[in-house]
Structures are given as structure tokens and as C-alpha cells.
Amino acid sequence: MSPTLEPEDIVLVNRFSTPKLGDIVAAKDPRDGKILIKRVSKIKNNKYFVTGDNKKKSTDSRTFGWIKKKDIIGKVIFSRSKN
């Protein structure tokens, strides 16, 4: 199975929709502020547990814990290969 997104893909993010379970989101890494693309796995009290589709190599909430809603930039609504 190929990954949902590849490095260098171009994504369009909707900042106005509230992410739901299963949505792919752009979020700030709470440790260093880098932008990550992750899938929402759990939602609890306005906190989100996000995971990468590549479970073996992904840096996600299993590493840095739950993230706050303010750390989510938006829901990914479109992606396209750069090539």
C-alpha cells in the first residue's frame, strides 16, 4: 500500500473546518513548531491524538503526546504530487 502523501506533495488546507476523527490535518509539532501532516486518531476535550499513516517511521502523538486545537493549522482538503 502506498502512502497517502509523499514528501514534496502540495497540499491545500482549510483553516475554517473543525477536524473530525479520521481527517488528515496540518499541525505544528509542539516540540519545535515544524509543520506535520497527520491523521486524527482520537479527540478528547479539545485535544487531538494524531498519527502518521506510516506507523513504523512516523513521529506523532505516540512520541510527543496529545496536541491542542490551537496547534492544528487546518484540515487537508486537497493534495497533488509536485511532479
Side-chain angles (χ1 to χ4, degrees):
M1 184 176 152
S2 53
T4 305
L5 297 169
E6 296 283 348
E8 305 298 323
D9 278 359
I10 297 168
V11 297
L12 179 62
V13 176
N14 181 348
R15 291 178 179 252
F16 302 108
S17 71
T18 300
K20 298 182 293 272
L21 198 61
D23 284 348
I24 298 173
V25 296
K28 291 184 227 168
D29 186 322
R31 300 168 303 167
D32 59 15
K34 289 184 181 176
I35 296 174
L36 305 171
I37 305 294
K38 301 296 173 188
R39 188 176 300 275
V40 176
S41 296
K42 298 176 188 175
I43 304 171
K44 184 177 180 179
N45 300 329
N46 265 344
K47 290 188 178 178
Y48 294 80
F49 193 88
V50 294
T51 55
D53 287 350
N54 184 349
K55 302 281 189 225
K56 292 180 183 178
K57 294 185 179 181
S58 185
T59 301
D60 50 33
S61 287
R62 295 171 297 161
T63 304
F64 50 73
W66 293 75
I67 61 171
K68 297 176 184 176
K69 186 174 181 179
K70 71 176 182 75
D71 293 322
I72 294 182
I73 298 165
K75 177 181 170 182
V76 173
I77 57 172
F78 173 80
S79 66
R80 183 184 75 149
S81 176
K82 189 174 180 180
N83 296 330

